Amino acid sequence: MTSISLYERLGGERGIAALVEDIVESHMQNPNIQARFLPYAEDPHHLEEVKGHLRNFLSAGGGGPHEYHGRSMPEAHRGMNISEAEYMAAIDDILAVLDKHEIDPQTRQEMLGIAYSLKDEIMHV
């Protein structure tokens, strides 16, 4: 029996694109982290670039066909001094979006594990 990749469980290219749209929108609406994301609304080109990196990151990390060529997590978050509260707000947004898209509990748990594995590369760098 062949296991289904995380990429496929997230809905492939179209599913990941929809997740990314909703995650970014959730971050922009979340009072705990919106100040970090709202400036992207002023620069649509940069916003699309960020979304593209996130789509490729999820695809590559999930066993999909796309490669991630963006900066490493520490490089992307260096100097931002992201707090535990901000990090958890972002995680809560991601989990809420996965739930909204009816992503199965095992896949949500796997995504949570991945997010937590990146914590030290994102917070306070």
Side-chain angles (χ1 to χ4, degrees), residues 28 37-47:
M28 287 184 174
F37 289 88
L38 285 176
Y40 292 128
E42 304 296 318
D43 186 352
H45 176 74
H46 190 218
L47 177 61

Side-chain angles (χ1 to χ4, degrees), residues 62-81:
H66 300 284
E67 291 184 28
Y68 176 71
H69 297 289
R71 296 178 292 168
S72 70
M73 287 298 117
E75 288 171 349
H77 297 92
R78 185 163 287 119
M80 295 175 73
N81 198 28

Side-chain angles (χ1 to χ4, degrees), residues 7-47:
Y7 173 80
E8 293 170 305
R9 288 181 279 139
L10 292 174
E13 189 168 343
R14 289 175 53 201
I16 287 174
L19 290 171
V20 166
E21 288 296 321
D22 285 353
I23 289 167
V24 171
E25 183 60 32
S26 291
H27 290 350
M28 287 184 174
Q29 300 299 320
N30 187 324
N32 296 308
I33 56 176
Q34 69 184 169
R36 295 193 182 272
F37 289 88
L38 285 176
Y40 292 128
E42 304 296 318
D43 186 352
H45 176 74
H46 190 218
L47 177 61

Side-chain angles (χ1 to χ4, degrees), residues 95-111:
L95 291 175
V97 168
L98 293 172
D99 192 44
K100 173 185 168 187
H101 285 260
E102 300 179 348
I103 301 298
D104 68 273
Q106 178 184 340
T107 301
R108 286 196 308 265
Q109 195 66 30
E110 193 172 333
M111 290 290 290

Side-chain angles (χ1 to χ4, degrees), residues 1-9 62 106:
M1 183 168 137
T2 306
S3 66
I4 299 172
S5 71
L6 179 60
Y7 173 80
E8 293 170 305
R9 288 181 279 139
Q106 178 184 340

Side-chain angles (χ1 to χ4, degrees), residues 85-100:
E86 290 174 307
Y87 182 80
M88 292 310 299
I91 296 295
D92 289 345
D93 286 349
I94 292 166
L95 291 175
V97 168
L98 293 172
D99 192 44
K100 173 185 168 187

